[in-house]
Amino acid sequence: MTDIRHLDEEKAQAFLEGLLTDGERAGVDGHLESCASCQALVLSFEALEEALSRLPAAEPPAGFTAGVMARIDEREQAKAGERRVVVAVLAAVSAALAVALLLAGQAAWAPALSAVSSAGVRALHGLRISADVLSPVVSALRVQIIVATAAVGISLLLVLSRLAAPRHAQVVA
Amino acid sequence: MAPPSHDASLALSAARGDRQAFARLVEENKRSVYGLCVRLLSDPEEARDAAQEAFTRAYASLESFDLEQPFAPWILRIARNLCLDTLRRRIPARARVELDADDEDGPPRELADTNSERADDAIQNAQTRQALEEAVAALPPNYREVVHLFHVEQLSYKEIAATMGIPMGTVMTWLHRARSQLRTLLEGQEVAP
């Protein structure tokens, strides 16, 4: 018979779970044949594990899944509402800016626009990207290009505000 | 390439906006999620709230779900984090300690449990199954959780480690210590039903 010390609680549990090596297991088996206190220890853990495996799991209340789906709907509606507000505010600000520029008169904003477009032209020259073709065109149409860009941008924002309906909100778990 | 698992195809459909697919995932996992929440919080109302919130957050984060992995450990992890947050809020600041107690090698650090006094009374008077339930409820939350996941949900060490975000060795250590504490608590009582 293999001579080993009494089992501690850790080893008794490892024995029951089959976590010991073949050699360790043989030693424990041999010891258990002649040690009543270690037998009792192993049996007590065996009974405990058996009882634990019969612990009932709590049943979820009725309507649980419907409650989850209702929460999801609520969150998504709130997020969609927030998103629409943000887009609408952006659109309103852009429109107000365009109106203010128009009302201020050409004298107020034309020099600034001219400076911006001239800077753009200089940049194109600097980059040597089709400078001989683009520069005269951009210089001639600079005001029209800026007004058209603003109009397209505002229209795009308005369309987005109608379409903005996120599939689901992003919440970090 | 292997076809997507059952969980993966449902999660994929749900991530594309299929509510029915997500409702099926809820149906298939609600018992284990709610069961864990009840075990950790010992309060059915709080457990229902935590479990439903876990699924709601999971839906919002479906795009971050790894389709190669099973759904259960992922949703259980979200649920247990919510439960731990609830427990932290419940414990007075001066008594607050780290809930996931005990390193693998260090001595056990006990967490003051709000139910321990009530549980002790119950253990002295009640019959075996009730006594065992109460003894489990008196364990620190991390021990309670491994006992529940291993014995009730019958998850493997690997799945428990993934759910709790801890090494497998720590799972084994906590489970052994939990059982030792239960044995001590139940000493002198008939354990089997």
Side-chain angles (χ1 to χ4, degrees):
Chain A
M1 188 182 77
T2 309
D3 181 31
I4 70 162
R5 292 180 174 184
H6 289 296
L7 302 183
D8 58 20
E9 295 188 345
E10 179 104 14
K11 195 151 197 174
Q13 294 181 69
F15 172 74
L16 284 170
E17 288 183 65
L19 298 175
L20 299 182
T21 63
D22 288 346
E24 288 173 325
R25 183 167 189 86
V28 171
D29 279 333
H31 178 75
L32 287 176
E33 284 175 13
S34 60
C35 181
S37 66
C38 286
Q39 278 180 27
L41 181 67
V42 169
L43 284 174
S44 69
F45 275 114
E46 199 170 28
L48 177 65
E49 287 190 26
E50 201 179 320
L52 284 170
S53 67
R54 282 200 287 268
L55 275 178
E59 282 300 319
F64 181 92
T65 303
V68 172
M69 302 315 287
R71 276 184 190 226
I72 289 170
D73 286 341
E74 199 177 301
R75 297 278 165 87
E76 290 206 331
Q77 282 168 13
K79 283 277 177 188
E82 284 170 18
R83 196 171 291 197
R84 282 197 188 95
V85 166
V86 168
V87 174
V89 166
L90 282 175
V93 167
S94 302
L97 200 61
V99 169
L101 285 172
L102 287 172
L103 290 178
Q106 188 173 347
W109 50 268
L113 286 181
S114 181
V116 169
S117 57
S118 296
V121 170
R122 279 196 299 277
L124 285 173
H125 274 298
L127 291 170
R128 296 170 183 247
I129 301 170
S130 304
D132 52 337
V133 177
L134 286 178
S135 297
V137 176
V138 173
S139 294
L141 300 174
R142 57 182 180 265
V143 174
Q144 288 89 334
I145 289 171
I146 289 166
V147 171
T149 305
V152 169
I154 290 166
S155 306
L156 205 60
L157 285 171
L158 287 171
V159 170
L160 278 175
S161 71
R162 289 176 184 276
L163 295 177
R167 184 169 44 74
H168 59 252
Q170 289 297 312
V171 179
V172 176
Chain B
M1 195 177 77
S5 67
H6 173 69
D7 283 357
S9 65
L10 284 178
L12 204 56
S13 299
R16 289 173 179 156
D18 182 348
R19 300 295 186 91
Q20 290 301 318
F22 191 73
R24 275 191 67 187
L25 278 173
V26 176
E27 276 296 315
E28 290 172 10
N29 291 278
K30 66 181 182 181
R31 195 194 57 80
S32 58
V33 171
Y34 178 73
L36 176 65
C37 293
V38 169
R39 187 71 66 197
L40 283 172
L41 298 174
S42 306
D43 180 297
E45 270 304 302
E46 279 188 323
R48 182 186 56 79
D49 187 56
Q52 290 188 327
E53 183 62 21
F55 281 110
T56 305
R57 292 193 185 193
Y59 183 78
S61 305
L62 272 176
E63 282 161 11
S64 68
F65 170 60
D66 182 356
L67 295 172
E68 303 287 317
Q69 302 299 320
F71 186 76
W74 187 66
I75 184 65
L76 285 170
R77 185 168 187 165
I78 295 173
R80 59 101 53 178
N81 287 340
L82 282 167
C83 289
L84 294 182
D85 286 344
T86 303
L87 288 173
R88 286 190 183 99
R89 283 197 299 273
R90 208 191 269 174
I91 299 167
R94 60 187 165 76
R96 192 172 297 159
V97 295
E98 183 58 45
L99 288 172
D100 284 343
D102 301 350
D103 290 336
E104 200 172 329
D105 300 323
R109 275 187 290 158
E110 302 301 334
L111 176 76
D113 191 285
T114 50
N115 293 325
S116 58
E117 194 174 338
R118 194 175 60 200
D120 285 343
D121 291 342
I123 287 166
Q124 287 170 4
N125 302 320
Q127 293 297 316
T128 51
R129 184 169 299 196
Q130 182 63 23
L132 183 57
E133 284 275 7
E134 297 291 346
V136 171
L139 290 173
N142 51 328
Y143 288 4
R144 211 185 307 161
E145 188 176 2
V146 289
V147 165
H148 180 83
L149 293 176
F150 187 83
H151 288 290
V152 181
E153 297 303 329
Q154 300 188 334
L155 297 189
S156 66
Y157 285 134
K158 189 179 174 187
E159 288 169 325
I160 296 171
T163 299
M164 298 180 74
I166 54 175
M168 277 213 299
T170 306
V171 173
M172 293 165 77
T173 302
W174 285 359
L175 188 59
H176 287 177
R177 286 181 182 166
R179 287 200 203 108
S180 291
Q181 284 194 23
L182 286 173
R183 185 174 164 274
T184 304
L185 283 169
L186 295 164
E187 208 166 27
Q189 298 189 39
E190 186 79 19
V191 178

